[in-house]
Amino acid sequence: MQDHAPRDRLATHQVLNQPAPAEDRDALADDQPLQEALRREAPDWVARRLAPLGREVGSRRVQALGEAANRHPPELRLFDRHGRRLDEVVYHPAYHELMHLAMDHGWQAVAWQEEGRGGHQAHVAALYLLTQAEPGFCCPVTMTHAAMPVLRASPRVLAQWSPGLLAWDYDPRALPAPRKSALTFGMAMTEKQGGSDVRANTTRAERVEGGWRLTGHKWFCSAPMSDAFLTLAQTDDGLGCFLVPRFAPDGGRNPIELQRLKDKCGNRANASAEIEYRGAWAEAVGDPGRGVATILAMVQQTRLDAATAPVGMMRQALVEAWRHVQGRQAFGKRLAEQPLMRTLVADLALEVEAGVALSLRTARAFDGAARDDAHERALARLLPALAKYWHNKRAPGFLAEAMECLGGIGYVEESPLARLYREAPVNSIWEGSGNVICLDVLRVLGRHPEAREAMTREFAAVQGESPELDRALAELERQLGDAPEALEPRARWLTQRLAQCLQATLLLRHTPAPLGQAFCRSRLGEAVSPAYGVLPREAPLDAILARLPS
């Protein structure tokens, strides 16, 4: 039998002092923080259903699919060979295999099919794992999942479109929706002149017999090969929400013209397009003139996914860095035995622990809100914004540090760290950039005092356990007493502090005491560092690192 293993003896030298080639791993079984979070935040069935996905995501086969989908980005085909408009995007086969991995197992549908019974926890945990295969293809999975609350605003639209959205299948064919086995959804909100200020949109909707016709442009259309798009357009009643199918009711192509695909910093496996509606047929969703309120139900769902994805990327980078430093020596001993490297990796591991805890706690709040639990509903208003803002602010620096653990090898494209680093800013920009999210936090605190009260009850569970957390909470209470106009310039500080205090609360309650204390001292203490790798002298490095895969 021919040996296909890499050769370690070359013409001029022998390849030494490198970690062993990657092997298949189980991305769920070797993730202790995720397993613990699932045990406390989700019903038992969630972990059982996730088990095959963990094995798939950690396999060399799926990791290779992620690399290929990123290396071969989608291509735009505007016309066929005879000059007829196609307005199609062609993806590499690896992208389609990854979409099958997600959608054939219903991860875009589970939140709604098991709503109030662990469905949101299952979706978020699956998204966290799928991101570790390749973040880009997760965008259409998220959009399809998040469309359901908007469809519910119109019973007729829900009845027509939800069966395809909930189908356990992936059907990439460009066909009218009734002829497909499963459907995907996209979103098109932002325009050149408005960006996050969607009320400045100029796309116009005119009523016609049996529906509406839309004319205008969208600067960002996510997942442009979707079967339908949720979008905003101006009407005589104000800004409305509309569902725009790829194919018109007569079966012909709806005039949604793709202008170009964005050449993005990262997220290269996913297509994002500029589009024009050239009298595209659409149907209204929700109340007239209430388009922003209607589509925000989708945005709230996508924000939780955008808060979870960076934690998945950080976890993948952490595992890669730890594997490398365990297999490489410097200055006479393994990197994993060097005190400074151990401190850095332990600090990175603490960040992932906190991110996993906050993501799964937020998912439980969504599930509790579906059961009409008032406390969980109040938390669900606030937690997605806190998690989205803070996890995405922590990710770029984290991924740069992980890259440094590998040195030059980490900076080249054969390593997953290069593409993760390019990916790092995207979730902070999509669905509301940092300032927008922080202003939303102020809005929720101002309009929904029950959200602040719910957070106070969460914090009360660990009162007196950490002097650093107690001092941070006291300062938060003082700051929140200021007038709204005084709070706005400090909205970023406030959002960061709320997120960190909740992370600290979760770790103090649910992880070994030394880990929670180390988190509080390093994030909320008097000598906090903006860089990773700075932990208090008494930090339990052995205990933290023991929770990483060997």
Side-chain angles (χ1 to χ4, degrees):
M1 176 180 288
Q2 189 173 2
D3 184 7
H4 295 286
R7 292 171 54 199
D8 61 4
R9 185 175 294 279
L10 305 181
T12 62
H13 64 287
Q14 188 172 0
V15 179
L16 302 171
N17 195 22
Q18 302 294 338
E23 298 180 350
D24 289 342
R25 69 180 186 90
D26 188 326
L28 174 60
D30 71 13
D31 192 331
Q32 189 171 344
L34 177 60
Q35 292 186 66
E36 291 176 358
L38 289 171
R39 282 196 290 270
R40 68 176 178 264
E41 306 289 7
D44 291 344
W45 68 264
V46 175
R48 291 197 298 271
R49 181 164 160 182
L50 285 164
L53 179 62
R55 292 189 291 272
E56 286 275 16
V57 164
S59 69
R60 287 173 294 175
R61 181 187 74 85
V62 169
Q63 290 297 309
L65 290 176
E67 293 173 8
N70 187 271
R71 190 174 294 277
H72 303 282
E75 297 178 359
L76 179 60
R77 292 185 63 199
L78 291 178
F79 301 93
D80 71 6
R81 60 184 290 193
H82 302 291
R84 291 181 286 260
R85 284 204 74 102
L86 279 178
D87 293 295
E88 291 184 359
V89 178
V90 178
Y91 295 88
H92 189 269
Y95 172 92
H96 294 299
E97 287 198 53
L98 291 170
M99 288 292 288
H100 277 294
L101 173 65
M103 302 191 76
D104 288 1
H105 298 90
W107 297 118
Q108 79 287 1
V110 66
W112 316 116
Q113 292 175 329
E114 300 291 345
E115 191 171 14
R117 301 183 297 272
H120 286 282
Q121 297 94 307
H123 170 79
V124 162
L127 191 281
Y128 166 86
L129 291 170
L130 290 166
T131 297
Q132 296 175 55
E134 160 52 39
F137 85 97
C138 293
C139 174
V141 177
T142 286
M143 294 291 174
T144 303
H145 150 77
M148 179 62 79
V150 178
L151 302 186
R152 287 173 171 173
S154 293
R156 182 182 58 80
V157 173
L158 178 68
Q160 178 182 356
W161 290 92
S162 63
L165 183 152
L166 297 174
W168 288 27
D169 194 9
Y170 168 61
D171 187 343
R173 296 175 298 169
L175 292 173
R179 296 171 56 189
K180 296 189 66 171
S181 59
L183 304 176
T184 57
F185 275 71
M187 180 196 288
M189 282 203 300
T190 58
E191 297 182 3
K192 299 171 187 173
Q193 72 286 344
S196 295
D197 184 8
V198 294
R199 295 187 187 278
N201 283 7
T202 62
T203 297
R204 186 74 190 171
E206 300 292 340
R207 191 185 294 272
V208 297
E209 184 177 355
W212 298 75
R213 291 285 178 182
L214 271 54
T215 303
H217 81 286
K218 296 296 175 182
W219 184 240
F220 255 98
C221 174
S222 297
M225 279 304 291
S226 298
D227 298 291
F229 305 92
L230 292 166
T231 197
L232 297 174
Q234 298 286 354
T235 72
D236 292 341
D237 295 314
L239 199 61
C241 180
F242 295 89
L243 186 151
V244 189
R246 172 164 293 283
F247 287 82
D250 63 4
R253 290 177 181 263
N254 214 3
I256 308 168
E257 296 188 357
L258 307 186
Q259 302 303 304
R260 64 170 176 166
L261 297 186
K262 299 289 192 180
D263 187 7
K264 295 169 292 185
C265 168
N267 198 246
R268 303 189 71 81
N270 176 43
S272 303
E274 293 176 40
I275 67 171
E276 285 191 345
Y277 297 131
R278 302 290 295 271
W281 187 89
E283 51 189 324
V285 183
D287 295 332
R290 295 275 297 162
V292 173
T294 301
I295 208 165
L296 277 179
M298 182 178 194
V299 171
Q300 186 76 336
Q301 296 293 327
T302 60
R303 281 183 176 173
L304 177 51
D305 281 22
T308 303
V311 185
M313 289 191 287
M314 288 191 283
R315 172 67 186 185
Q316 183 181 7
L318 173 65
V319 171
E320 186 74 16
W322 184 235
R323 187 177 73 84
H324 182 87
V325 302
Q326 286 182 303
R328 185 169 175 83
Q329 291 193 1
F331 311 113
K333 57 183 175 181
R334 290 190 310 151
L335 284 172
E337 297 169 349
Q338 305 277 1
L340 194 53
M341 181 62 79
R342 290 174 65 79
T343 302
L344 172 60
V345 176
D347 199 12
L348 298 177
L350 272 181
E351 195 67 32
V352 174
E353 294 256 7
V356 169
L358 182 51
S359 296
L360 267 294
R361 180 64 186 91
T362 305
R364 179 158 70 88
F366 274 45
D367 227 45
R371 299 192 304 273
D372 206 26
D373 182 311
H375 177 73
E376 298 300 316
R377 184 171 61 250
L379 289 176
R381 292 186 185 276
L382 185 59
L383 265 52
L386 298 181
K388 178 186 184 300
Y389 175 79
W390 189 234
H391 292 168
N392 282 290
K393 292 306 175 192
R394 296 297 276 170
F398 185 108
L399 296 170
E401 290 287 2
M403 196 180 294
E404 282 196 38
C405 292
L406 274 67
I409 289 176
Y411 194 65
V412 298
E413 292 293 338
E414 285 89 346
S415 157
L417 295 179
R419 82 172 194 262
L420 290 175
Y421 184 70
R422 287 187 282 105
E423 187 83 15
V426 68
N427 287 289
S428 187
I429 293 171
W430 280 356
E431 314 312 339
S433 56
N435 284 353
V436 172
I437 294 297
C438 293
L439 292 174
D440 275 358
V441 168
L442 293 186
R443 179 186 57 81
V444 171
L445 291 173
R447 295 183 184 179
H448 301 282
E450 70 276 13
R452 179 176 170 183
E453 294 166 5
M455 289 287 284
T456 300
R457 289 197 294 275
E458 293 290 308
F459 297 145
V462 293
Q463 185 175 3
E465 293 189 18
S466 163
E468 293 83 9
L469 178 57
D470 288 346
R471 284 194 294 269
L473 291 173
E475 178 62 19
L476 265 176
E477 192 67 24
R478 286 192 295 272
Q479 297 269 3
L480 286 169
D482 289 348
E485 59 271 16
L487 281 176
E488 184 169 329
R490 301 198 301 279
R492 281 182 172 238
W493 177 89
L494 178 67
T495 303
Q496 169 184 328
R497 211 59 163 172
L498 281 168
Q500 288 179 307
C501 286
L502 186 53
Q503 288 180 327
T505 298
L506 292 168
L507 294 188
L508 285 171
R509 291 182 66 182
H510 302 302
T511 63
L515 273 69
Q517 295 293 343
F519 183 88
C520 291
R521 291 172 187 145
S522 59
R523 271 64 172 177
L524 303 172
E526 296 179 355
V528 173
S529 170
Y532 289 102
V534 181
L535 289 176
R537 180 179 300 177
E538 68 279 9
L541 302 184
D542 291 344
I544 297 170
L545 296 173
R547 294 165 66 82
L548 295 176
S550 58

